[in-house]
Amino acid sequence: MRRKGRLAAVLALALCCLACTGSGSLHQETFTLAPAEKPVTNPLKGWAPWNGNQREDFDSTLAFVSVSWRELEPEQGVYAFDQMERAHQIDQLRRQGVRLVLRVVCDYPGKEPHLDIPDWLYEETGGTWYEGEYGSGCSPDYRDPAFLEAHGRLLEALGQRYDHDPYVAYIQLGSLGHWGEWHVDEEAGIDPFPSQEVTDCYVEQYRAAFPHKQLMLRRPYGIGAELGLGLYNDAFAQAGSHQEWLGWIADGYRSSENGEQLDGMPDFWHNGASGGEFATDRDVWAYVLEDYEATLEYIRSSHTSWIGPRCFGSETLADLPPEQRDLAAARVNALSQELGYCFAVTQVQVRQWANAPDLNVTLTVENMGVAPIYENWPLCLRLVDPGGAVLRQEMVDGRITEWLPGTNTLSYTFAGSGSLPPGHYSLQLGIVDPITGQPGIRLANSGETEPCLYQLAAFEKRY
């Protein structure tokens, strides 16, 4: 009896499904797309040379801007942002569509003793003058409450100026240590680097000032994991040092600066960008000639989105012997292809039901890169007739920051598209740059009809 009851239930369910299918006949077409060659350049990734030092041999969509507190606030409460932007050619970079990696520095060692903080701040908080292996300068007292309070006011002003500036893509948490790299030369007579209790205060100031920006730390800290921050490595691809940095990220570490045990930031790159610059222990061309395979592996294992300011965006092929130039150029471009995200639409499904005739599309998107994109740019989806007329254009939140390396899907229904007459149509896709309002990301797909706009499928609408 139980078997008969179960069989009757199954038959009833099957008849119900058949009835539903009959009344809502589904027309579905599936298109498989083969990925094309990876684009060499795209926004928010690649090379980030010093501002004003870009070279024509290799494209760059980023520029690195390092500014001292002394430049930014020469008088207490008086911010020289306009003057700083002129000095660093910021308007020219904006006109070129170049986005910025910004770092504030309080101690940049040089050949001669000098201050990188304002005179008024030094008079209030002091500092340690030094001459050492890195050069000469003055290391501020980062523990001084007055210094920390003034730093918070500076960041508040910077945030008001740049937190909503779309041209500022990444902000490195410099501020502390030589070059903003979160270490000091104790052998030059400088007090040890401040404790995590102090450095966390600086991190919190940055997050409060820049709630909408990608922030990046020089080394992993627990607060970085909590806030979803990125990391930068200014000794990128240096044998030994780079592996150690990856170990810090995975497992935590004991600080060589002050002996504290610090937490790691495993999988930080899911939410925060990975960047840095090539180490200075060898000629930059060595990274694509003698050490190419190792450099490629460091990019992959670090999930790196961009490299700068010491990078190929500021190099010229003419500096190499003629017989090395073609190989070097090909490898530089191959590294650029590997950096960051790379999107390819690999499958399109178009569905329509007779009793619910609005068109539904499902895209399978392969991220062939090593990292996601870190800004949520909207998608532009278009329905186009055979004559090229755009019948529907929708701006869609695809949550593309969640497109990690691997396979991702997006489903969307064109509301009201059921009123379109039966016939043949095409589906087009572009990822829209918020600055220009136009498609701005190159896909690893063929079928580009306009810059960064791709025809994905031609299909039949039956209902």
Side-chain angles (χ1 to χ4, degrees):
M1 293 296 293
R2 289 182 180 177
R3 289 183 179 178
K4 289 183 179 179
R6 289 175 183 170
L7 180 59
V10 171
L11 288 173
L13 179 61
L15 288 171
C16 180
C17 290
L18 286 171
C20 291
T21 304
S23 63
S25 299
L26 170 64
H27 174 63
Q28 175 176 300
E29 294 184 68
T30 301
F31 305 87
T32 300
L33 290 71
E37 184 179 5
K38 290 182 176 182
V40 174
T41 58
N42 253 327
L44 303 171
K45 53 166 281 184
W47 311 122
W50 288 106
N51 58 298
N53 199 29
Q54 294 91 341
R55 296 292 182 264
E56 295 182 358
D57 287 345
F58 304 108
D59 289 338
S60 54
T61 65
L62 295 166
F64 188 90
V65 179
S66 174
V67 295
S68 71
W69 190 341
R70 190 176 184 85
E71 289 179 83
L72 294 169
E73 193 181 4
E75 299 178 42
Q76 188 170 7
V78 178
Y79 301 104
F81 295 142
D82 290 337
Q83 182 178 344
M84 180 276 290
E85 290 188 7
R86 286 193 296 272
H88 292 274
Q89 305 174 356
I90 303 301
D91 283 345
Q92 180 180 342
L93 293 171
R94 288 189 175 114
R95 287 193 296 270
Q96 295 170 348
V98 174
R99 288 171 164 83
L100 308 180
V101 180
L102 181 64
R103 183 192 295 186
V104 175
V105 175
C106 299
D107 172 16
Y108 200 105
K111 294 182 178 180
E112 302 293 335
H114 66 284
L115 280 171
D116 292 302
I117 61 173
D119 290 336
W120 62 264
L121 183 61
Y122 175 74
E123 291 170 1
E124 182 177 353
T125 63
T128 302
W129 293 92
Y130 64 86
E131 291 186 15
E133 179 185 356
Y134 299 140
S136 299
C138 182
S139 178
D141 183 358
Y142 303 111
R143 300 170 183 80
D144 190 314
F147 186 92
L148 181 62
E149 183 179 351
H151 183 268
R153 291 194 299 269
L154 170 68
L155 289 189
E156 183 180 3
L158 279 168
Q160 291 173 358
R161 177 87 172 197
Y162 297 111
D163 186 46
H164 292 283
D165 185 339
Y167 285 100
V168 178
Y170 303 100
I171 294 180
Q172 295 185 336
L173 277 65
S175 296
L176 304 178
H178 305 309
W179 305 286
E181 293 185 8
W182 287 49
H183 66 85
V184 295
D185 182 7
E186 291 184 49
E187 293 184 1
I190 302 170
D191 288 339
F193 193 74
S195 67
Q196 183 176 202
E197 181 181 5
V198 174
T199 58
D200 280 359
C201 294
Y202 286 90
V203 175
E204 289 165 351
Q205 287 180 344
Y206 269 98
R207 176 45 76 205
F210 296 102
H212 302 101
K213 292 300 179 189
Q214 268 286 317
L215 303 181
M216 306 176 71
L217 284 163
R218 173 61 181 90
R219 55 186 67 205
Y221 278 82
I223 194 172
E226 293 169 14
L227 298 178
L229 306 189
L231 293 169
Y232 61 95
N233 180 3
D234 282 351
F236 193 91
Q238 184 179 59
S241 171
H242 198 122
Q243 289 97 324
E244 182 181 37
W245 185 71
L246 291 174
W248 295 349
I249 294 168
D251 304 319
Y253 61 106
R254 186 169 297 281
S255 171
S256 60
E257 295 297 305
N258 56 27
E260 283 188 310
Q261 184 64 37
L262 300 173
D263 292 336
M265 292 172 56
D267 297 329
F268 76 93
W269 57 274
H270 288 192
N271 300 296
S274 176
E277 68 171 333
F278 285 123
T280 58
D281 62 335
R282 75 200 84 169
D283 185 85
V284 71
W285 291 109
Y287 293 104
V288 291
L289 295 174
E290 299 92 332
D291 301 322
Y292 171 70
E293 294 296 337
T295 305
L296 189 61
E297 180 54 33
Y298 284 129
I299 288 173
R300 291 169 176 166
S301 60
S302 306
H303 299 276
T304 309
S305 286
W306 58 266
I307 296 177
R310 190 170 191 256
C311 65
F312 296 106
S314 55
E315 299 298 323
T316 302
L317 284 167
D319 294 338
L320 288 173
E323 65 272 14
Q324 293 183 331
R325 293 172 189 171
D326 288 346
L327 176 62
R331 287 181 170 180
V332 168
N333 287 334
L335 293 182
S336 184
Q337 288 173 311
E338 198 70 16
L339 288 163
Y341 65 89
C342 177
F343 301 137
V345 180
T346 57
Q347 188 180 84
V348 178
Q349 286 187 335
V350 183
R351 297 184 184 90
Q352 185 187 24
W353 287 263
N355 63 346
D358 284 349
L359 292 165
N360 172 267
V361 297
T362 297
L363 306 182
T364 300
V365 181
E366 192 77 15
N367 184 348
M368 302 163 60
V370 300
I373 188 172
Y374 295 99
E375 290 186 7
N376 190 31
W377 291 15
L379 307 180
C380 174
L381 287 172
R382 287 181 175 181
L383 294 178
V384 181
D385 72 10
V390 179
L391 305 179
R392 292 285 191 280
Q393 177 169 299
E394 306 283 349
M395 300 298 287
V396 179
D397 179 5
R399 301 173 68 174
I400 66 173
T401 56
E402 300 176 9
W403 290 358
L404 297 178
T407 302
N408 305 271
T409 58
L410 169 74
S411 182
Y412 183 75
T413 299
F414 285 90
S417 59
S419 63
L420 295 173
H424 290 87
Y425 298 89
S426 296
L427 175 69
Q428 296 180 346
L429 170 70
I431 303 178
V432 177
D433 185 336
I435 292 177
T436 65
Q438 300 297 320
I441 289 179
R442 299 174 182 88
L443 305 181
N445 284 101
S446 56
E448 190 174 15
T449 60
E450 299 175 21
C452 301
L453 181 69
Y454 295 83
Q455 181 158 310
L456 300 180
F459 61 92
E460 180 186 5
K461 182 179 185 295
R462 290 188 179 178
Y463 309 114

